[in-house]
Amino acid sequence: MFRLTWRNLLARKVRLLMSALAIVLGIGFLAGVLTFSSGLGKTFDGIIEGTNADAQAQPAGSNSWQQIGAGDTLTISPDDVAELAALPEVAQADGTIDSQALYIADTDGNLVGGGGAPTISFNRTDTPNLLGDPIMELTEGRWPEADDEIALDPSAADRAGYEVGDDVTVFPPGAVGFGSAADEQPPTTTLRLVGLAGFAGGGGTAGSTLVTFSTSGAQAMFLDGQDVFTKVALTAAEGVSQQELVDAADAVLPDGYEAVTGDELVDQQQNAIGEFLGFISIFLGVFAVIAVIVGGFIIANTFSILVAQRVRELALLRALGASRKQVRRSVLVEATMMAVIGSTLGLFVGLGLARGLASLFGSFGLEINSDVLNLSPTTVAAAYAVGIVVTLVSAYLPARRASKVAPVAAMREDTATTEGSLRRRTLIGAVLLVIGAGIALAGVVGAPGNDAVWIGVGAVIWVLTVAAISAVLGRPVLVACRALFTRVFGTTGRLAGDNAIRNPRRTGATASALMIGLTLVSAVGVLAASMSATLDDVVDDQFTADFLVQSPVFAAFNPAIARQMSQVDGVEVVSQQQGYLGLVEDDVEPSFIFGTDAAFSEIYDLPMVDGSPTFTGDQTLINESTADKYDVGVGDTLTIRFPGDNDVDVTVSGISEDNEVAGAINVPFSVLRKGEIKRSDISLSINLADGADKAAVGKELKALVADFPIVAVQDKQEFADSLKGQINQLLYMVYGLLALSIVIAIIGIVNTLSLSVIERTREIGLLRAVGLSRRRLRRMVTLESVTISVMGAVLGLALGLVIGVLLQRSLRDDLTALAIPLTSLVTFLLVAVVFGVLAAIVPAIRASRMKVLDAIATE
Amino acid sequence: MSERPTGEAARGVAASAHDLVKTYGSEEAEVRALDGVTVDLMKGEFTAIMGPSGSGKSTLMHCLAALDTPTSGDAVVDGTGLAGLKDKALTTLRREKVGFVFQAFNLIPTLTARENILLPLDLAGRKVDQAWFDAVIDAVGLRDRLSHRPSEMSGGQQQRVACARALVSQPSIVFADEPTGNLDSTSSAEVLGFLRRSVDEFGQTIVMVTHDPVAASYTDRILFLADGRIVDELRDPDRDAILAKMAGLQDLATAKAAG
């Protein structure tokens, strides 16, 4: 039996390859995602482990903070550093200054790494890392010495187009270095690039830009030239453990500072990054799973057709004495071999895909060294396991059907298997659809737990059920296509429509593969359109300012910009918004503390629940959710802990409804001052005087920051558009990832059509004999293909529409508007038609090349 | 062709072969399926091509019917030489000038009997001559089967549908390749009777390949093929004469094989 199976495989090389292609792509995607995720993890692990010293002295509690540009003000003096260095446990103590508040312009004046990975500036020290190796490595030039000299990491220098010796334009941190209010233009500073220095070991920077200053240069740039440091990197003396080092350091550290072991820092950083990496892996993994499932459909369908075409051969085997089990096994062995070949090829495809993804992420600023993108044993094992299991599961039903072929079928003239009744399947399907609807509706009307999960479960049941009974559900689409094609293309169209209808299961299974992808496309499309519509509403409703000034890179900027803008003719009021992270009450995770001036309540009319919308002194305005979270009302007190264990008590003066304009916790600037936060603006809201020419004022405001790409001036519409742009970017990414499962579905159409064409050889010959030209024969195959793809598209888009609408309903508290992206849906339908045409190219050419005589000659 | 052919024997040639040669295979193992066949097939005649297996009778028909291209020589159908015609022209010629009845698999399974019959006209985009359609349908006796699909009809009925399809476009010539090969004797008689009548009543030209002497006895003229050549001919044959000729051919072949 085994030999026969092997012969079968060899005899059908092309068919085998086509079917295996579905596995190759599905497994390729999976392996690619796994490889990419682990490469991403390794890149970050390498950076984290390679860049931490044995221990670090830092402002107390700063583990939980993220740098957002406006630095804390706590510093440590060189005397303190010297005291640390003198400890017997300490081999080396280096005062450090680091900041993410500086940005670099490339040679065209654009931000380097805009919006993606951070730009990290620090002073040059020779502190060794945990392993005793140097952290930084100079690859070209020399280390910076003068205050206006810097080194850049090689990749950033390359991206920005700078070479050693060039002048580099930088945007200094917001709170310093900005000229007086009289300055016409926000200044940029020029620094000289004297060397290229990156993390030692060449492990890459994950897209971050590294800027190395001399110590005095960093002090001049970030600490107004004071001879102080923000942190101290500690290296343990011979034989001293990290904990002993920390204990010794803590004894001499000034108030507000604490020492933390290197291991703990590594853990903290890995945890923080792990969450982000986990999200990426899951996000990509979902699409890989979808691709594999779609691939499974294709495999199941291909095997069904192959078995149907081999009925006589199988019957002959049975007549010659093969047992049912042997017949079934021969099909399953064939499937296994296909899975092994497909998975092997898939692994290589995956490796290529991982490299492709890496370069895609690289273009977004997150660079991954391709050295770490290797197939791990886990990935290889997972790929083979998934490939084989999915293929065997998919091939099982066809194999069982093959084993049921009666020996007498070998003797029958008419070998075309008639498809069994779909009634039972339809009945069960209908019941399942109702159950799915029930579960989804439960989600909409508010069953316990997460509504979206209820709907998700219902949706999965729906998709699988529709896929199983698509032969029945899709029939109206097929009939409509046939009618349309008959009308437009006459007999050719009629024959094509009939061909699509004659094997409902085959057509249904082929279309289902496409349906799955398009269901997601349409559901996601509805959600994205609803998000955009909701945004429009929110911006219209709540953002009552005429102009907003924000930083596209979330950088804080100098308050001088607000002063300059307030002097522009036509500007009536400019409200500054500042802020920093703080721990509220006993929280472990910091919250964003939103600081505003008095003008804020002039511009924005916040819907109030209780108290007053204005706040001064030690007062705070919080939103409803925050009031519920901390169980406070107007008059109650909240404690906010700023970095350096600066506690500030604030009294709740008002509670607003949840909104998008103000923060969860809003305080006047005086509170931030008490918290000793180095303040700079994160956004400005501007209202114009009555009768001011909005366009002219907008032009002038934009001109003010034209050379300052970390700040953007937007009117309401531009603001809404930029937010919608982000939604669309995500949407296109999802579409891009779904594209692969759609490509697999198209391969499925090619496969089905090719097999159908072979099966209908004699019929095609007859048609050619009685006068069907080659061109019309190709058209006939193409129209059949289009019918299949349109059926898949219509079912998928309709189902996705329903799911999308239900999801929007369940999320209606946040996603208030429902929008249906009709244009997109129609576009997808047209795209499906195009895909149908493309899928038919090869089978159509094959059909038209068949010799008329081969086709009609009796055996 | 506005004028319907009458029952009178029409003069002239419907199709002809001129020194047709068809070889298969490479030089060493060359098989000459046709070895210089020259013949005229007359209009309004029912001609049978007979011969042992491998005599080239099907190949001759395929070459005449524009289904296959000869190695050399030319076939002419209704005045049109086939040599050098492109696939498109051949397709059109088959559609316009030729009707086919095959041994098996004559009908498109997705189409009803009526649709199958009208298929060549539909493909050509021609209007149905309703009176002619009715005449053909009545002649084959299928009026009550028109809306049936092939799977709902007997083999004989299917072959009669195929005959109707071959006639309905009023081709210059109908080629039938063992049309009764798969049928029982009653059905065979029905189909052959119908073909005979379409020659007698409608003046249709029919060429039929067969190795069944009974079927051949329905024809006006029999061409005997052996080893790719026309070796004999019989006019207005009866069964005994046919059997005698066939036996002679068989003896010849046996002698050749032995000698």
Side-chain angles (χ1 to χ4, degrees):
Chain A
M1 278 312 270
F2 183 79
R3 176 177 304 213
L4 184 81
T5 309
W6 186 240
R7 288 272 161 79
N8 270 334
L9 275 173
L10 287 182
R12 298 178 175 81
K13 275 186 294 257
V14 176
R15 259 181 251 185
L16 172 78
L17 270 180
M18 287 298 288
S19 320
L21 206 52
I23 308 176
V24 171
L25 290 183
I27 294 302
F29 198 175
L30 189 71
V33 167
L34 290 175
T35 305
F36 175 73
S37 305
S38 89
L40 202 58
K42 277 184 207 157
T43 301
F44 279 108
D45 283 354
I47 293 174
I48 291 168
E49 280 164 10
T51 55
N52 277 300
D54 290 343
Q56 174 170 280
Q58 58 187 27
S62 51
N63 305 340
S64 329
W65 319 117
Q66 272 176 310
Q67 290 270 20
I68 58 146
D72 50 71
T73 52
L74 216 58
T75 54
I76 190 163
S77 71
D79 291 346
D80 291 327
V81 176
E83 198 176 342
L84 285 167
L87 290 170
E89 290 86 354
V90 176
Q92 187 177 343
D94 299 297
T96 61
I97 301 124
D98 61 66
S99 169
Q100 296 184 21
L102 177 99
Y103 289 87
I104 289 187
D106 64 17
T107 44
D108 298 327
N110 300 315
L111 281 184
V112 174
T119 300
I120 307 170
S121 309
F122 43 82
N123 60 322
R124 153 82 189 140
T125 66
D126 57 0
T127 316
N129 66 16
L130 288 170
L131 308 169
D133 298 323
I135 293 175
M136 297 293 289
E137 183 178 61
L138 192 70
T139 53
E140 200 185 322
R142 59 173 175 82
W143 293 109
E145 287 159 10
D147 284 4
D148 64 348
E149 292 177 343
I150 54 167
L152 282 176
D153 71 278
S155 150
D158 185 47
R159 269 179 287 150
Y162 289 122
E163 287 175 21
V164 171
D166 284 355
D167 283 339
V168 176
T169 310
V170 305
F171 305 104
V176 289
F178 198 76
S180 69
D183 280 356
E184 288 274 308
Q185 291 290 327
T188 53
T189 304
T190 305
L191 301 172
R192 177 160 304 232
L193 184 66
V194 296
L196 300 182
F199 292 138
T205 65
S208 302
T209 303
L210 307 182
V211 189
T212 313
F213 284 85
S214 67
T215 297
S216 70
Q219 287 168 338
M221 180 60 74
F222 301 105
L223 297 168
D224 297 334
Q226 307 168 62
D227 186 15
V228 290
F229 301 98
T230 51
K231 291 169 189 163
V232 184
L234 298 170
T235 308
E238 193 80 15
V240 175
S241 75
Q242 289 189 5
Q243 193 54 50
E244 286 161 0
L245 178 66
V246 163
D247 291 343
D250 268 338
V252 298
L253 277 173
D255 279 354
Y257 267 82
E258 64 178 9
V260 182
T261 65
D263 287 345
E264 198 180 331
L265 288 171
V266 167
D267 275 357
Q268 285 166 358
Q269 289 163 10
Q270 280 178 339
N271 283 344
I273 210 76
E275 219 168 281
F276 161 71
L277 294 180
F279 174 74
I280 289 187
S281 309
I282 291 173
F283 184 74
L284 293 175
V286 165
F287 292 97
V289 168
I290 293 168
V292 169
I293 292 175
V294 171
F297 266 84
I298 304 302
I299 296 161
N301 204 29
T302 306
F303 270 94
S304 294
I305 300 173
L306 288 180
V307 164
Q309 291 181 355
R310 266 160 50 194
V311 166
R312 281 180 95 168
E313 181 190 319
L314 294 169
L316 183 65
L317 284 176
R318 294 276 285 122
L320 294 177
S323 70
R324 281 194 169 188
K325 202 173 156 191
Q326 278 172 313
V327 168
R328 189 171 61 226
R329 204 188 293 151
S330 82
V331 174
L332 289 178
V333 167
E334 190 172 331
T336 309
M337 288 199 261
M338 207 170 92
V340 170
I341 294 168
S343 303
T344 308
L345 293 176
L347 280 170
F348 289 105
V349 169
L351 195 58
L353 198 72
R355 302 242 155 111
L357 270 177
S359 72
L360 183 75
F361 272 65
S363 72
F364 289 140
L366 213 169
E367 279 190 6
I368 292 153
N369 198 332
S370 66
D371 294 348
V372 295
L373 292 176
N374 296 314
L375 294 173
S376 72
T378 339
T379 304
V380 173
Y384 279 114
V386 172
I388 291 171
V389 168
V390 166
T391 310
L392 282 184
V393 167
S394 308
Y396 182 75
L397 278 183
R400 215 177 58 137
R401 210 171 307 140
S403 72
K404 283 188 178 163
V405 170
V408 70
M411 270 61 86
R412 286 208 196 109
E413 173 71 25
D414 180 19
T415 56
T417 46
T418 46
E419 292 193 343
S421 164
L422 283 165
R423 193 177 297 162
R424 201 169 70 117
R425 206 198 269 207
T426 309
L427 208 67
I428 296 171
V431 172
L432 282 174
L433 279 185
V434 171
I435 292 173
I439 292 175
L441 273 179
V444 173
V445 298
N450 190 333
D451 294 353
V453 170
W454 283 94
I455 295 171
V457 171
V460 169
I461 293 178
W462 271 346
V463 170
L464 294 179
T465 313
V466 170
I469 60 170
S470 56
V472 180
L473 290 178
R475 200 181 156 81
V477 180
L478 299 182
V479 172
C481 279
R482 181 174 61 178
L484 178 73
F485 292 161
T486 307
R487 181 163 282 240
V488 180
F489 299 101
T491 311
T492 321
R494 166 70 199 279
L495 287 167
D498 279 337
N499 282 339
I501 293 175
R502 73 204 286 187
N503 297 112
R505 285 183 191 200
R506 184 183 299 183
T507 302
T510 312
S512 293
L514 188 61
M515 179 206 80
I516 295 174
L518 283 174
T519 302
L520 290 163
V521 162
S522 125
V524 171
V526 170
L527 286 181
S530 298
M531 271 161 96
S532 289
T534 305
L535 263 175
D536 270 337
D537 288 355
V538 167
V539 169
D540 251 10
D541 241 32
Q542 302 186 6
F543 284 82
T544 42
D546 289 323
F547 286 101
L548 283 168
V549 181
Q550 286 178 316
S551 167
V553 289
F554 309 106
F557 49 89
N558 196 296
I561 292 178
R563 284 199 298 279
Q564 286 190 349
M565 288 188 166
S566 65
Q567 283 158 14
V568 170
D569 269 352
V571 170
E572 187 180 71
V573 52
V574 176
S575 167
Q576 293 166 267
Q577 287 98 53
Q578 307 181 338
Y580 202 68
L581 295 172
L583 293 171
V584 179
E585 296 290 338
D586 300 325
D587 284 355
V588 185
E589 290 291 311
S591 310
F592 193 80
I593 310 299
F594 199 69
T596 63
D597 52 18
F600 189 76
S601 55
E602 283 177 45
I603 294 177
Y604 297 111
D605 182 21
L606 295 178
M608 296 303 292
V609 178
D610 196 8
S612 147
T614 56
F615 43 95
T616 52
D618 284 342
Q619 290 177 327
T620 181
L621 170 75
I622 58 178
N623 67 14
E624 223 177 333
S625 313
T626 309
D628 289 347
K629 182 176 168 193
Y630 299 105
D631 193 23
V632 288
V634 170
D636 291 342
T637 303
L638 284 171
T639 305
I640 302 172
R641 169 167 295 191
F642 289 105
D645 290 348
N646 264 315
D647 286 358
V648 180
D649 287 339
V650 291
T651 311
V652 177
S653 65
I655 298 172
S656 70
E657 286 175 18
D658 289 1
N659 64 81
E660 306 298 330
V661 178
I665 300 167
N666 307 279
V667 296
F669 290 162
S670 50
V671 171
L672 295 183
R673 225 171 286 135
K674 270 193 179 169
E676 293 183 33
I677 296 302
K678 184 178 283 180
R679 294 183 296 117
S680 44
D681 293 344
I682 52 170
S683 67
L684 305 176
S685 305
I686 298 174
N687 259 9
L688 303 189
D690 287 344
D693 178 352
K694 201 176 160 194
V697 176
K699 224 172 173 179
E700 208 166 326
L701 291 174
K702 282 175 189 177
L704 267 179
V705 293
D707 292 333
F708 210 51
I710 52 175
V711 175
V713 178
Q714 294 173 319
D715 67 15
K716 243 174 162 174
Q717 194 52 48
E718 289 166 335
F719 176 56
D721 287 347
S722 74
L723 293 177
K724 283 191 277 189
Q726 291 166 20
I727 294 174
N728 283 336
Q729 209 170 11
L730 190 68
L731 182 69
Y732 295 144
M733 204 154 98
V734 171
Y735 285 171
L737 289 166
L738 285 172
L740 192 86
S741 55
I742 291 174
V743 166
I744 294 178
I746 289 166
I747 290 172
I749 299 179
V750 176
N751 230 353
T752 303
L753 282 179
S754 301
L755 294 173
S756 295
V757 162
I758 294 168
E759 190 174 279
R760 296 174 197 153
T761 300
R762 305 181 71 184
E763 196 177 319
I764 289 167
L766 177 66
L767 283 168
R768 295 273 292 122
V770 300
L772 188 74
S773 66
R774 284 202 169 125
R775 210 162 67 99
R776 288 167 80 179
L777 175 59
R778 284 198 292 269
R779 188 184 297 159
M780 182 180 92
V781 177
T782 305
L783 288 175
E784 180 177 354
S785 174
V786 169
T787 305
I788 297 174
S789 61
V790 165
M791 169 174 153
V794 168
L795 286 180
L797 293 176
L799 189 57
L801 192 65
V802 173
I803 293 170
V805 169
L806 286 178
L807 280 173
Q808 185 276 334
R809 292 280 88 194
S810 80
L811 300 170
R812 60 186 172 275
D813 289 344
D814 297 316
L815 208 58
T816 46
L818 170 67
I820 293 176
L822 270 182
T823 330
S824 308
L825 295 183
V826 171
T827 310
F828 289 132
L829 193 60
L830 294 178
V831 168
V833 171
V834 173
F835 283 161
V837 172
L838 294 179
I841 291 176
V842 173
I845 288 177
R846 238 172 154 189
S848 73
R849 288 218 181 125
M850 279 182 180
K851 292 213 179 82
V852 181
L853 265 186
D854 289 354
I856 50 169
T858 42
E859 297 158 19
Chain B
M1 278 259 263
S2 59
E3 202 177 313
R4 193 165 305 149
T6 63
E8 299 159 27
R11 298 276 164 195
V13 178
S16 56
H18 303 278
D19 198 22
L20 276 185
V21 175
K22 177 78 185 179
T23 58
Y24 295 104
S26 57
E27 297 250 340
E28 300 92 55
E30 195 184 73
V31 176
R32 286 179 92 79
L34 290 181
D35 194 7
V37 174
T38 301
V39 69
D40 286 339
L41 300 167
M42 310 310 286
K43 276 186 183 165
E45 247 183 14
F46 192 173
T47 309
I49 302 177
M50 295 192 79
S53 293
S55 60
K57 55 188 189 302
S58 284
T59 309
L60 172 61
M61 192 199 89
H62 291 152
C63 288
L64 282 169
L67 290 173
D68 202 354
T69 41
T71 312
S72 68
D74 194 12
V76 178
V77 173
D78 199 31
T80 309
L82 304 187
L85 287 189
K86 288 255 179 343
D87 182 77
K88 200 171 169 186
L90 289 175
T91 303
T92 311
L93 179 118
R94 286 198 300 267
R95 200 160 68 200
E96 309 280 333
K97 302 280 174 71
V98 182
F100 290 99
V101 182
F102 299 111
Q103 177 178 3
F105 207 84
N106 257 308
L107 308 177
I108 301 298
T110 51
L111 300 181
T112 62
R114 175 197 290 276
E115 289 161 344
N116 264 296
I117 292 169
L118 294 177
L119 187 59
L121 292 179
D122 282 342
L123 288 174
R126 276 159 63 189
K127 273 241 154 39
V128 186
D129 180 338
Q130 193 59 46
W132 177 236
F133 178 79
D134 288 340
V136 172
I137 294 305
D138 289 336
V140 290
L142 282 170
R143 188 160 288 285
D144 56 338
R145 296 275 165 199
L146 283 179
S147 58
H148 288 55
R149 285 180 200 274
S151 58
E152 299 161 330
M153 289 186 281
S154 71
Q157 286 168 338
Q158 289 187 31
Q159 282 309 72
R160 282 188 281 153
V161 173
C163 293
R165 182 194 61 211
L167 291 174
V168 81
S169 56
Q170 297 177 315
S172 308
I173 187 163
V174 169
F175 290 100
D177 189 358
E178 305 264 15
T180 57
N182 280 354
L183 299 182
D184 61 63
S185 54
T186 319
S187 300
S188 290
E190 276 173 13
V191 168
L192 290 164
F194 168 70
L195 289 177
R196 178 73 249 171
R197 262 186 297 139
S198 63
V199 174
D200 295 340
E201 293 172 21
F202 307 139
Q204 184 63 57
T205 310
I206 298 178
V207 177
M208 172 174 76
V209 168
T210 183
H211 58 249
D212 175 11
V214 179
S217 67
Y218 281 80
T219 63
D220 301 314
R221 176 192 185 197
I222 302 178
L223 299 170
F224 290 96
L225 252 72
D227 299 326
R229 294 166 190 274
I230 294 179
V231 292
D232 210 340
E233 184 176 337
L234 207 58
R235 282 223 161 254
D236 301 321
D238 62 54
R239 219 186 309 175
D240 295 336
I242 299 168
L243 280 171
K245 288 272 186 204
M246 289 293 284
L249 281 177
Q250 195 62 51
D251 292 346
L252 207 71
T254 317
K256 210 173 164 188

